[in-house]
């Protein structure tokens, strides 16, 4: 006996979890194409179950079946014309009221419908309880709880769908939307007309056709006339007269009146079946939102929060930094004392401990930053920031949703670029990916901390805040330019969801913070270690043999023709030497090291790139550091450390002092910071850009663009 065949259609609001459920049900056996004539994706899958061949169709996500958008037309025509055996309406249980609008419309059609109360977990965690029995009873529709992303409830869903398909009794559907008397009367008359004159010619429920005519539904009108030209036209005339009557009566288009009344019906159902312990929280959220998303006050408050975040990052992070510095110095000292003189010792102390140490000490700053970002996320403020930024983002031609990847970019550009996946439109996604690197990531923070801390003292926090702001402004400009040239197109409309505010839980905050900081640590373990060793090698070879002169002259440079920067560095070292009562062995070591660096490969590289950076007021050491920053931005600082020969057993703030002594001014420090902010993203980010845009061209474009801007 050949297997019986059933078609099951999945309908539901966008983001209700349709695709997740579709994937759960069909696995890999799917066919993706377009709906005929339109560029709306159609997914179909085939499975067999309980002796049936099942075809499962994923309908486009819609909020209603009013044929306004292509998606709505496609979904409704499918239900009307293809007549699937069963329609599963995927309901977002955490958004019952909104989901039920589509549900009641599907229920008005002549089809067998089943509700999947999806996102059951979300509803539960929000403290919402839905009485499935009562919902099923009130609407005469079978109801199954599901959790789409965890593959829960799928068996029961299919079981119920098959049982529904097998049932022969027509659904009772006694309870339905009750419209106002005038509308009900009009529906009644049109229904009668339909039953007596057109019945059998148009295969739709008479009452449904009547309501659609009152709503002035163009597609139904067209089909009516096509099915029964004469009677159809008469019916349209009658409908038009009734519509006019209703319009006069309510001073409003019938469609609007009917929509309102449908929502009234739904509100009643929701009141019956849903109990919520969160109502209070929703009310509190509303009150908070009155202030935080206020048209005028919201924005300055937002700026204040961001500014406070950077202040906190800088000030609170400062104390542990000193402890870590002391620890690193201790480790370097111990290694120096224990190991025999030689290349291996130099590698361990100057390469690994000093290199990695100069970056790891920024861990506290980064932890604080990530903690603040986690706080924004967990309290629900992040969604508000997207909402606030929506208008500004529209200036770039993007909407508020793109702001979340950008905000995450302050932490690390790699997950930020991955977060752009949530954007539906490809152009939006590429544009967001191109501007995200201007969001100054946490790896750049060490550079700012050293430079701003040294050259701007108490105003360092404000200067750093200004840098972040500069990045934001440039990203806006970039967005505008690209939106009107390379990536033309309208921004897609979307519904901004504002979850209720939540008291953040310490545990979840710490987990969030730690998850992201781990990325930083892992990078430390691999990329930065490697980078530090490479920089050390480049600065240690070819190796200079210390001469007696070095020891005799202490820090004075011998032999090589002194150059400006070198002379300044020498002078600084002499000065520091005097402070510490004369030329110690330590001083001699450092003088030798400075000379060594000058003549090493990296010194030569520095001389080579110097002219390019000179107009920016950045000396050769700065230039080399910036080059090394391509590996990872953290390395900029460790390279500066190596090139200025600081770090082994030094007093804290040594790098800052050495920089000041090497002739760096507040202006050139600022120039260096701005360059670090803007120039090409790091290796990991460029890789992410290539992966997420799917194109090497965009990656190269991003590199070229950001560096030219810098
Ligand atoms: P569609 O737009 O209706 O196709 O929705 P998707 O299937 O793409 O799901 C939207 C998002 O909701 C995805 O991130 C899913 O992982 C998630 N999701 C789907 N079902 C559930 C669920 O039952 N619970 C939760 N918490 N998330 C879900
Ligand atoms: Mg989908």
């Amino acid at each position: 006996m050949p297997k019986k065949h059933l078609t099951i259609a999945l309908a539901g609001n966008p983001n209700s979890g349709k695709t997740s459920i579709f994937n759960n049900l069909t696995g890999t056996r799917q066919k993706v194409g377009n709906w005929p004539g339109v560029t709306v994706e159609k997914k179909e899958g085939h499975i067999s179950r309980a002796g049936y061949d099942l075809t499962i169709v994923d309908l486009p996500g819609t909020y209603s079946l009013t044929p306004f958008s292509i998606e709505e037309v496609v979904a409704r025509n499918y239900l009307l014309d293809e007549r699937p055996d069963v329609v599963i309406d995927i309901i977002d249980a955490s958004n019952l009221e909104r989901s039920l609008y589509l549900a009641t419309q599907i229920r008005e059609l002549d089809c067998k419908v089943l509700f999947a109360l999806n996102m059951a977990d979300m509803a539960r965690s929000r403290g919402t309880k839905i009485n499935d029995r009562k919902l099923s009873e009130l609407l005469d529709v079978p109801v199954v709880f599901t959790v789409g992303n965890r593959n829960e409830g799928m068996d029961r869903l299919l079981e119920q769908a098959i049982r529904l398909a097998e049932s022969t009794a027509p659904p009772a559907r006694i309870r339905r939307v009750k419209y106002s008397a005038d509308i009900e009367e009009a529906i009644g008359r049109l229904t009668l007309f339909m039953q007596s004159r057109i019945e059998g010619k148009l295969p739709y429920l008479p009452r449904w056709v009547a309501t659609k005519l009152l709503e002035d539904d163009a597609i139904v009108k067209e089909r009516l006339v096509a099915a029964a030209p004469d009677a159809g036209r008469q019916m349209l005339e009658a409908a038009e007269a009734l519509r006019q009557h209703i319009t006069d009566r309510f001073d409003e288009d019938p469609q609007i009146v009917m929509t309102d009344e449908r929502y009234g019906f739904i509100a009643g159902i929701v009141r019956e079946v849903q109990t919520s312990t969160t109502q209070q929280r929703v009310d509190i959220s509303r009150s908070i939102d009155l202030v935080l998303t206020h048209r005028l006050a919201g924005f300055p408050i937002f700026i204040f929060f961001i500014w406070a975040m950077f202040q906190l990052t800088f000030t609170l992070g400062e104390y542990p930094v000193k402890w870590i510095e002391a620890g690193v110095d201790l480790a370097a000292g111990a290694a120096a004392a224990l190991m025999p003189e030689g290349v291996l010792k130099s590698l361990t102390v100057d390469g690994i401990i000093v290199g990695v140490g100069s970056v790891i000490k920024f861990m506290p700053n980064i932890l604080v930053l990530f903690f603040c970002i986690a706080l924004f996320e967990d309290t629900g403020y992040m969604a508000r920031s997207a909402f606030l930024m929506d208008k500004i983002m529209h200036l770039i031609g993007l909407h508020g949703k793109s702001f979340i990847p950008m905000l995450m970019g302050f932490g690390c550009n790699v997950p930020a670029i991955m977060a752009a996946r949530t954007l539906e439109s490809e152009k939006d996604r590429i544009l967001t990916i191109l501007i995200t690197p201007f969001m100054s990531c946490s790896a750049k923070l060490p550079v700012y901390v050293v430079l701003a801390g040294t050259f701007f003292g108490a105003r360092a926090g404000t200067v750093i805040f200004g840098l972040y702001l500069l990045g934001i402004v440039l990203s806006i400009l970039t967005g505008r330019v690209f939106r009107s040239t390379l990536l033309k197109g309208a921004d897609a409309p979307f519904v901004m969801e504002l979850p209720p505010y939540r008291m953040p839980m310490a545990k979840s905050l710490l987990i969030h913070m730690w998850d992201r900081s781990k990325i930083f640590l892992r990078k430390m373990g691999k990329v930065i270690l490697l980078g530090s060793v490479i920089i050390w090698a480049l600065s240690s070879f070819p190796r200079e043999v210390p001469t007696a002169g070095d020891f005799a002259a202490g820090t004075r440079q011998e032999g090589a023709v002194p150059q400006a920067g070198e002379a300044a560095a020498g002078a600084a070292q002499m000065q520091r030497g005097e402070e510490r009562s004369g030329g110690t062995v330590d001083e001699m070591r450092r003088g030798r090291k400075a000379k060594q660096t000058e003549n090493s490969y990296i010194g030569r590289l520095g001389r080579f790139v110097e002219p390019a950076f000179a107009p920016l007021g950045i000396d050769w050491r700065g230039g080399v550091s910036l080059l090394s920053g391509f590996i990872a931005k953290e390395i900029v600082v460790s390279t500066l450390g190596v090139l200025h020969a600081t770090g082994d057993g030094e007093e804290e703030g040594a790098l800052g002092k050495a920089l000041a002594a090497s002739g760096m001014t507040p202006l050139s420090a600022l120039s260096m910071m701005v360059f670090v902010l803007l120039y090409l993203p790091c290796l990991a980010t460029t890789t992410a850009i290539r992966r997420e845009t799917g194109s090497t061209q965009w990656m190269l474009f991003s590199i070229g663009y950001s560096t030219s801007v810098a």
Side-chain angles (χ1 to χ4, degrees):
M1 198 178 95
K3 277 191 190 172
K4 288 167 287 180
H5 180 259
L6 289 179
T7 304
I8 298 176
L10 303 182
N13 291 173
N15 286 317
S16 57
K18 264 181 322 83
T19 303
S20 309
I21 290 183
F22 176 79
N23 290 341
N24 291 341
L25 293 178
T26 59
T28 51
R29 278 151 302 185
Q30 352 182 314
K31 213 172 65 196
V32 182
N34 272 354
W35 292 89
V38 290
T39 53
V40 176
E41 192 181 77
K42 177 181 185 175
K43 278 196 189 153
E44 217 180 86
H46 298 275
I47 51 169
S48 40
R49 178 64 69 97
Y52 285 98
D53 265 336
L54 302 179
T55 300
I56 311 223
V57 180
D58 189 17
L59 293 177
T62 62
Y63 290 108
S64 86
L65 289 182
T66 323
F68 286 142
S69 70
I70 309 175
E71 285 81 7
E72 286 162 345
V73 172
V74 167
R76 197 178 79 176
N77 283 351
Y78 182 84
L79 296 179
L80 285 177
D81 303 337
E82 308 295 324
R83 303 206 160 243
D85 297 289
V86 173
V87 181
I88 298 181
D89 180 23
I90 317 273
I91 288 185
D92 176 353
S94 63
N95 244 318
L96 188 61
E97 188 153 353
R98 192 176 67 188
S99 307
L100 280 180
Y101 193 75
L102 176 69
T104 48
Q105 288 197 324
I106 296 178
R107 195 169 153 272
E108 286 170 0
L109 293 175
D110 184 17
C111 61
K112 290 182 171 175
V113 58
L114 162 70
F115 290 166
L117 278 180
N118 195 41
M119 310 260 175
D121 57 327
M122 290 260 282
R124 211 173 305 129
S125 73
R126 284 190 195 175
T128 308
K129 257 207 206 106
I130 296 174
N131 185 335
D132 55 328
R133 275 235 206 98
K134 197 149 188 194
L135 180 64
S136 170
E137 207 178 280
L138 285 176
L139 295 180
D140 287 308
V141 169
V143 173
V144 176
F145 277 113
T146 56
V147 183
N149 57 341
R150 279 194 267 121
N151 205 354
E152 280 172 30
M154 298 303 132
D155 287 335
R156 261 177 54 72
L157 194 60
L158 277 186
E159 203 176 281
Q160 289 287 328
I162 292 172
R163 180 181 304 171
L164 185 62
E166 284 170 342
S167 72
T168 47
R173 308 248 174 106
I174 306 158
R175 230 165 261 97
R176 60 184 186 208
V177 185
K178 256 238 166 328
Y179 299 103
S180 315
D182 296 71
I183 296 177
E184 278 297 340
E185 202 196 303
I187 292 176
R189 280 203 216 167
L190 290 174
T191 307
L192 264 181
F193 191 106
M194 173 97 183
Q195 280 164 343
S196 57
R197 303 280 309 276
I198 300 172
E199 182 82 280
K201 295 190 179 126
L202 194 63
Y204 310 145
L205 289 179
R207 184 181 161 90
W208 184 76
V209 175
T211 31
K212 290 301 124 178
L213 290 185
L214 289 181
E215 286 179 352
D216 206 24
D217 187 310
I219 295 178
V220 173
K221 277 160 70 179
E222 208 174 275
R223 292 188 176 189
L224 177 68
V225 174
D230 289 339
R233 268 198 201 94
Q234 280 176 29
M235 192 170 166
L236 287 192
E237 268 166 38
E240 199 41 53
L242 290 167
R243 274 175 50 77
Q244 196 53 53
H245 170 73
I246 296 169
T247 311
D248 292 343
R249 174 80 180 61
F250 291 92
D251 203 20
E252 196 80 86
D253 191 273
Q255 194 183 357
I256 294 175
V257 180
M258 292 163 81
T259 304
D260 280 350
E261 295 185 342
R262 243 175 240 143
Y263 271 118
F265 172 73
I266 291 165
I269 303 267
V270 170
R271 205 173 314 127
E272 286 291 313
V273 304
Q274 178 172 297
T275 44
S276 167
T277 53
T278 52
Q279 194 49 45
Q280 211 182 349
R281 200 160 75 201
V282 169
D283 290 343
I284 294 172
S285 282
R286 283 213 182 113
S287 322
I288 299 178
D289 271 341
L290 280 183
V291 180
L292 291 190
T293 62
H294 185 267
R295 221 159 33 88
L296 300 173
F299 204 67
I301 295 176
F302 170 66
I303 298 278
F304 170 77
F305 278 143
I306 301 286
W307 176 82
M309 171 170 92
F310 291 123
Q311 280 297 325
L312 211 61
T313 302
F314 192 67
T315 50
L316 204 66
E318 207 172 5
Y319 300 97
V321 166
K322 288 179 184 153
W323 309 332
I324 296 179
E325 269 180 344
V328 168
D329 287 350
L330 213 65
L338 289 174
M339 294 177 76
E341 206 62 46
V343 176
L344 200 61
K345 171 172 168 176
S346 171
L347 170 65
T348 312
V349 176
D350 302 332
I352 296 171
I353 298 183
V354 171
V356 175
S358 63
V359 181
I360 206 164
K361 70 182 183 193
F362 295 102
M363 196 68 197
N365 299 97
I366 282 156
L367 283 175
V368 175
L369 181 69
F370 280 136
F371 182 82
C372 292
I373 290 181
L375 197 64
F376 286 156
E377 276 184 330
D378 286 11
T379 51
Y381 189 66
M382 190 78 114
R384 269 74 187 182
S385 72
F387 180 79
L388 277 173
M389 293 303 290
D390 196 46
K391 270 192 222 95
I392 292 183
M393 297 298 286
H394 276 287
L395 295 178
I396 325 179
L398 286 170
H399 47 62
K401 228 172 161 180
S402 292
F403 184 67
I404 290 177
M406 288 171 68
L407 198 57
M408 282 176 66
F410 288 135
C412 174
N413 278 197
V414 175
I417 282 168
M418 279 158 61
R421 279 183 198 177
T422 54
L423 300 169
E424 287 87 10
S425 138
E426 166 147 22
K427 280 183 180 164
D428 285 4
R429 206 163 54 234
I430 291 182
L431 189 53
T432 306
I433 288 174
L434 286 180
I435 62 183
T436 297
F438 284 138
M439 301 297 107
S440 189
C441 74
S442 59
K444 296 174 184 173
L445 195 57
V447 186
Y448 307 152
V449 173
V450 167
L451 292 180
T454 305
F455 294 96
F456 294 94
R459 274 170 301 167
T462 311
V463 168
I464 294 177
F465 173 66
L467 284 166
Y468 281 85
L469 210 61
L470 175 67
I472 296 173
V473 168
L474 275 170
S475 72
I476 293 178
L477 293 178
T478 300
R480 274 209 79 110
V481 170
F482 287 172
R483 185 49 112 186
S484 52
T485 51
L486 284 176
L487 293 161
K488 262 198 203 122
D491 32 339
F494 85 113
V495 182
M496 188 80 73
E497 306 223 355
L498 295 182
Y501 284 100
R502 288 201 186 88
M503 206 48 168
M505 293 202 313
K507 192 174 156 201
S508 124
L509 280 180
L510 293 178
I511 289 175
H512 263 140
M513 174 181 86
W514 183 241
D515 272 352
R516 300 213 172 108
S517 306
K518 255 193 333 216
I519 301 179
F520 181 81
L521 274 182
R522 210 173 293 142
K523 203 153 88 176
M524 195 85 64
K526 292 183 201 148
V527 183
I528 296 180
L529 179 63
L530 191 70
S532 301
V533 170
I534 291 175
I535 301 293
W536 167 84
L538 287 177
S539 61
S540 304
F541 299 100
R543 224 159 160 65
E544 288 248 317
V545 183
T547 61
D550 281 331
F551 288 99
T555 63
R556 253 165 274 263
Q557 308 285 319
E558 280 210 349
V561 182
Q563 306 224 353
E566 190 178 301
Q573 277 149 7
M574 284 202 308
Q575 194 187 334
R576 271 190 287 160
E578 277 153 23
E579 276 167 19
R580 286 209 229 141
S581 70
T584 59
V585 176
D586 200 35
E587 283 303 307
M588 284 184 250
R589 262 174 53 84
R590 203 188 359 243
R592 209 168 70 227
K593 223 153 85 178
K595 190 174 170 189
Q596 161 67 39
T597 309
E598 293 272 352
N599 298 325
S600 68
Y601 292 121
I602 210 163
R604 294 173 202 176
L605 184 66
R607 296 269 172 252
F608 181 71
V609 298
E610 194 170 25
F613 290 103
L616 301 171
I618 297 171
D619 70 0
W620 68 271
R621 297 181 189 88
V624 171
S625 309
L626 289 172
L627 287 185
S628 66
F630 176 59
I631 303 174
K633 296 290 171 260
E634 293 91 336
I635 294 181
V636 172
V637 170
S638 54
T639 308
L640 279 175
V642 170
L643 294 182
H644 285 279
T646 59
D648 50 336
E650 281 285 345
E651 75 274 31
E652 52 98 9
L655 178 54
K657 284 189 187 150
L659 284 169
S662 75
M664 193 173 245
T665 62
L667 184 61
S668 56
L670 190 63
S671 150
M672 175 120 176
M673 286 189 280
V674 170
F675 197 83
V676 167
L677 167 71
L678 300 175
Y679 83 131
L680 58 89
C682 71
L683 192 61
T685 304
T686 46
T687 314
I689 293 176
R690 203 197 57 214
R691 201 176 50 219
E692 297 295 317
T693 58
S695 118
T696 310
Q697 269 106 314
W698 281 122
M699 180 191 79
L700 294 176
F701 180 80
S702 173
I703 292 177
Y705 176 73
S706 51
T707 311
S708 339
V709 171

